[in-house]
């Protein structure tokens, strides 16, 4: 191989590595909530003297490469790649803007929902961040890590995985280009289920409780708890304690001890972790400020908070120009200084570019969410949340599904109705026999209202609730009523008297 071919190959490898590092940097910054972004920016400024605060007194000269080194193929290609990414994001943003102009203007009326208490979230780390931290502490292959990230992003607010492994396999193939069988995903899910808190990643209540019991020290009490959840789960959910006591041949003291321990199990490990995190004294700063105006229009802005505005140091760019003008007469020491200066300037420019990409990505994502859930942002009524999943926003924005997941997992939005994590605005749909798609939030809100208005001396059975919901336009099965009632934390009829 000739020297020229070796140099060309080296340049190609260097370019490929540079693009990969830039994409990685962008992904990292997109994932950070505002508080952590401030910390990252300050740390970057401490590490790179070519990165300075933009006070407005000095010109921002971030395009110096075009003027100083037009013959540098790497820089030219980097510029081209940046322009391509920027154009794609701008096009997506412009397209969404046109969609918004076609939205009907709904004038907010009196909501039938009771006045909500404002929700305060009190930690700089989300529930999903803590799971990702635990993932970083174990050895996984690249494919397993990608599957794990997708599983974590698919957990609901209770920390449970409601999707089937087959549907996750399909989604990974379509949106992530990952060929993973249901068995491959199950293997990674088993690893996720070893994370804290116990019960995380379970696919239903029974598995959630079993995962918690399995972590206990071996004992007769542990064996009895396993038997109850495995063999008498229906009796356990209906609190038929006497039947369980007789089946296991326990005396009253043994039965009481067993029941007390079973009651300590947590059916919502994700929610409990959120409560623990929420006790932190540090309050989350929302990443988005959403305003609902009296005419029904909805606008928003990124909350830049204390994020410093950055530019490349003028002294560094001047120094680089000086070195460039004296290339032919440079000593070895000057060449080393040139390489150091250019390295720092390149890193500063790439970091500034990654911040811009982050901002555009957040804007594109939130614009799509608002457009999709426009009625909700007008009135703040959860029943107005339309079925919306990550795939819907990915398709609307043209962004990768994993990018939308990164934005949604750790960001918060301040609205007229309270401050919520972005995942609050996502909700699964229920498809009726006629093909109509209903929001599960809407159905749950109707179910909650029916139970709140019932005669407490004669509470509705699940079958009656099923019929009443059908009369209101929600034709769901009785077992679905029972599932939604359990998710709302509402006991069966006989325990509501």
């Amino acid at each position: 191989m000739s020297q020229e071919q070796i140099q060309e190959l080296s340049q190609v490898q260097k370019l490929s590595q540079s693009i990969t590092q830039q994409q990685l940097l962008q992904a990292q910054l997109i994932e950070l909530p505002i508080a952590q972004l401030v910390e990252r920016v300050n740390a970057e400024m401490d590490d790179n003297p070519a990165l300075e605060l933009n006070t407005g007194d000095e010109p921002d000269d971030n395009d110096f490469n075009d003027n100083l080194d037009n013959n540098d193929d790497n820089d030219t290609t980097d510029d081209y790649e940046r322009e391509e990414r920027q154009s794609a994001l701008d096009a997506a943003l412009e397209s969404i803007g046109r969609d918004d102009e076609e939205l009907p203007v709904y004038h907010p009326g009196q909501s039938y929902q009771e006045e909500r208490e404002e929700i305060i979230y009190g930690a700089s780390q989300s529930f999903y961040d803590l799971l990702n931290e635990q993932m970083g502490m174990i050895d996984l292959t690249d494919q397993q890590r990608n599957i794990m990230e997708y599983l974590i992003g698919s957990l609901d607010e209770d920390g449970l995985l409601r999707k089937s492994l087959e549907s996750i396999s399909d989604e990974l193939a379509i949106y992530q280009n990952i060929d993973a069988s249901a068995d491959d995903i199950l293997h990674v899910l088993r690893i996720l289920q070893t994370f804290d808190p116990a019960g995380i990643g379970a696919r239903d209540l029974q598995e959630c409780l079993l995962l918690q019991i399995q972590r206990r020290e071996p004992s007769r009490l542990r064996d009895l708890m396993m038997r109850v959840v495995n063999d008498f789960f229906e009796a356990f959910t209906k609190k038929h304690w006497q039947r369980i006591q007789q089946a296991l041949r326990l005396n009253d003291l043994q039965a009481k001890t067993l029941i007390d321990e079973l009651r300590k199990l947590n059916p919502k490990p994700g929610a409990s972790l959120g409560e623990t995190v929420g006790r932190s004294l540090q309050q989350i700063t929302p990443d988005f400020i959403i305003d609902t105006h009296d005419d029904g229009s909805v606008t928003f802005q990124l909350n830049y908070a204390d994020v410093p505005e950055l530019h490349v140091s003028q002294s560094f760019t001047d120094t680089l120009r000086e070195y460039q003008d004296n290339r032919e007469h440079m000593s070895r020491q000057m060449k080393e200084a040139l390489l150091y200066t250019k390295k720092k300037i390149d890193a500063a420019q790439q970091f500034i570019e990654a911040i811009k990409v982050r901002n555009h990505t957040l804007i594109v994502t939130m614009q799509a969410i608002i457009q999709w859930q426009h009625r909700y942002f007008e009135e703040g009524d959860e029943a107005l949340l339309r079925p919306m999943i990550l795939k819907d926003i990915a398709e609307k924005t043209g962004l990768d599904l994993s990018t939308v997941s990164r934005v949604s997992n750790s960001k918060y939005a301040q609205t007229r109705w309270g401050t919520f994590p972005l995942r609050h605005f996502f909700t699964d749909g229920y498809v009726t026999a006629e093909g109509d798609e209903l929001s599960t939030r809407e159905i749950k809100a109707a179910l909650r209202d029916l139970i709140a208005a019932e005669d407490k001396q004669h509470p509705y059975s699940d079958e009656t609730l099923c019929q009443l919901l059908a009369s209101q336009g929600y034709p769901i099965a009785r077992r679905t009523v029972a599932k939604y009632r359990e998710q709302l934390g509402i006991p069966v009829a006989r325990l509501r008297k």
Side-chain angles (χ1 to χ4, degrees):
M1 181 179 294
S2 67
Q3 184 67 26
E4 183 178 350
Q5 289 176 319
I6 294 175
Q7 290 178 348
E8 183 178 354
L9 178 60
S10 176
Q11 287 180 348
V12 170
Q13 290 175 339
K14 179 182 177 183
L15 173 60
S16 175
Q17 183 180 15
S18 174
I19 294 174
T20 301
Q21 289 174 345
Q22 182 68 2
Q23 290 174 338
L24 177 61
L25 175 61
Q26 291 171 6
Q28 291 172 343
L29 296 187
I30 286 171
E31 194 166 18
L32 294 179
I34 190 69
Q36 293 183 25
L37 178 65
V38 172
E39 295 177 1
R40 176 62 188 273
V41 170
N42 289 330
E44 196 73 19
M45 290 177 62
D46 291 340
D47 184 62
N48 188 350
L51 201 59
E52 291 184 346
L53 286 175
N54 188 359
T55 61
D57 297 331
E58 299 181 27
D60 191 356
D61 192 10
N62 290 334
D63 296 326
F64 61 90
N65 276 337
D66 291 339
N67 297 324
L68 293 179
D69 203 5
N70 287 329
N71 294 323
D72 191 329
D73 292 337
N74 291 347
D75 290 341
T76 302
T77 309
D78 282 346
D79 289 341
Y80 175 77
E81 291 289 336
R82 282 194 291 271
E83 289 174 5
E84 285 287 303
R85 291 192 296 269
Q86 186 82 20
S87 297
L89 287 169
D90 286 340
L93 181 59
E94 183 181 353
S95 174
I96 295 172
R98 287 196 299 270
D99 290 343
D100 253 8
E101 292 172 359
E102 298 172 0
L103 277 173
V105 177
Y106 300 97
H107 298 283
Q110 181 66 33
S111 173
Y112 62 81
Q113 188 180 20
E114 295 182 359
E115 183 178 355
R116 301 174 56 99
E117 294 181 1
E118 184 173 356
I119 300 176
I120 302 296
Y121 296 88
S124 60
Q125 275 191 314
S126 72
F127 157 54
Y128 300 94
D129 291 331
L130 296 175
L131 292 178
N132 280 314
E133 278 190 3
Q134 295 179 67
M135 178 180 67
M137 299 171 65
I138 59 176
D139 290 329
L140 297 170
T141 65
D142 289 342
Q143 173 154 317
Q144 288 175 334
R145 190 169 300 278
N146 290 331
I147 294 173
M148 178 75 78
E149 287 179 351
Y150 198 87
L151 287 175
I152 291 174
S154 299
L155 298 179
D156 67 9
E157 57 191 11
D158 295 334
L160 304 185
L161 183 67
R162 305 288 185 182
K163 296 181 179 180
S164 70
L165 299 183
E166 288 74 16
S167 65
I168 291 176
S169 176
D170 292 340
E171 290 175 7
L172 285 170
I174 296 171
Y175 303 110
Q176 301 280 347
N177 197 26
I178 294 176
D179 183 16
S181 67
D183 289 339
D184 296 331
I185 298 169
L186 178 60
H187 176 71
V188 177
L189 179 62
R190 293 301 186 201
I191 299 174
L192 173 60
Q193 289 175 345
T194 65
F195 289 5
D196 290 325
I200 207 75
R203 288 162 288 180
D204 54 39
L205 176 61
Q206 186 175 24
E207 185 177 31
C208 177
L209 301 181
L210 287 172
L211 288 171
Q212 296 175 54
I213 297 171
Q214 289 167 0
R215 294 203 190 183
R216 288 172 166 254
E217 292 294 327
S219 66
R220 172 165 168 72
L221 178 59
R222 175 180 179 267
D223 293 341
L224 288 172
M225 294 174 71
M226 291 287 290
R227 280 203 62 191
V228 170
V229 178
N230 267 320
D231 303 335
F232 304 98
F233 186 67
E234 183 177 359
F236 166 71
T237 58
K238 295 180 178 179
K239 300 184 180 180
H240 292 166
W241 304 122
Q242 188 172 4
R243 176 185 165 190
I244 294 173
Q245 180 179 350
Q246 292 174 350
L248 296 178
R249 299 180 180 180
L250 303 175
N251 59 40
D252 290 345
L253 178 59
Q254 291 172 328
K256 182 180 183 304
T257 302
L258 175 61
I259 292 169
D260 288 344
E261 289 303 307
L262 286 169
R263 283 174 169 163
K264 293 179 183 178
L265 299 176
N266 184 6
K268 300 179 179 181
S272 69
L273 182 56
E275 291 169 3
T276 303
V277 171
R279 295 191 186 103
S280 168
L281 294 178
Q282 183 181 5
Q283 183 174 338
I284 277 190
T285 303
D287 299 84
F288 305 91
I289 309 297
I290 302 175
D291 294 316
T292 301
H293 305 283
D294 292 338
D295 64 355
S297 62
V298 181
T299 60
F300 78 99
Q301 60 182 340
L302 286 183
N303 181 13
Y304 292 100
D306 298 322
V307 179
E309 186 177 352
L310 304 173
H311 76 154
V312 177
S313 167
Q314 188 64 39
S315 63
F316 265 70
T317 57
D318 290 343
T319 301
L320 183 59
R321 284 193 177 95
E322 182 180 346
Y323 285 137
Q324 294 278 4
D325 292 341
N326 295 279
R327 275 185 174 183
E328 297 180 0
H329 308 287
M330 289 175 60
S331 64
R332 179 178 179 182
Q333 185 177 4
M334 289 179 66
K335 289 181 180 179
E336 291 176 353
L338 170 63
L339 291 175
Y340 171 82
T341 303
K342 192 174 188 306
K343 178 182 176 181
K344 292 299 182 182
I345 290 178
D346 287 346
Q349 188 182 31
Q350 289 171 3
F351 190 80
I352 292 170
E353 175 66 22
I355 292 287
K356 291 179 180 178
V357 171
R358 175 190 184 273
N359 292 343
H360 272 284
T361 304
L362 265 61
I363 289 171
V364 167
T365 303
M366 179 49 71
Q367 185 75 44
I369 291 173
I370 291 177
Q371 200 272 338
W372 196 284
Q373 303 290 13
H374 201 272
R375 287 297 304 274
Y376 168 79
F377 287 106
E378 287 182 67
E379 300 189 24
D381 186 348
E382 282 193 21
L384 297 176
L385 281 171
R386 295 171 55 199
M388 182 182 79
I389 58 177
L390 294 175
K391 181 183 73 170
D392 296 324
I393 300 303
E395 290 177 348
K396 188 165 186 62
T397 59
L399 296 172
D400 188 79
L401 188 66
S402 62
T403 300
V404 177
S405 178
R406 284 188 175 93
V407 173
S408 304
N409 281 347
S410 55
K411 307 296 183 302
Y412 291 79
Q414 177 182 306
T415 74
R416 176 186 284 189
W417 325 110
T419 300
F420 305 96
L422 255 60
R423 281 195 164 267
H424 172 79
F425 309 123
F426 290 82
T427 176
D428 289 333
Y430 179 90
V431 181
T432 67
E434 291 75 23
D436 297 327
E437 189 174 26
L438 303 172
S439 165
T440 56
R441 291 271 183 86
E442 180 182 354
I443 300 173
K444 287 179 182 179
L447 176 62
R448 187 190 299 113
D449 289 344
L450 284 173
I451 294 175
E454 70 185 357
D455 180 357
K456 297 308 176 186
Q457 298 302 316
H458 302 90
Y460 297 134
S461 66
D462 286 348
E463 184 62 37
T464 302
L465 288 169
C466 179
Q467 296 170 2
L468 291 172
L469 285 170
S471 69
Q472 293 184 5
Y474 306 112
I476 62 176
R478 185 197 61 78
R479 62 179 179 275
T480 306
V481 171
K483 182 178 76 171
Y484 289 172
R485 176 179 50 72
E486 291 173 359
Q487 291 176 359
L488 290 170
I490 300 174
V492 296
R494 66 184 180 84
L495 298 179
R496 299 202 303 271
K497 291 184 178 181

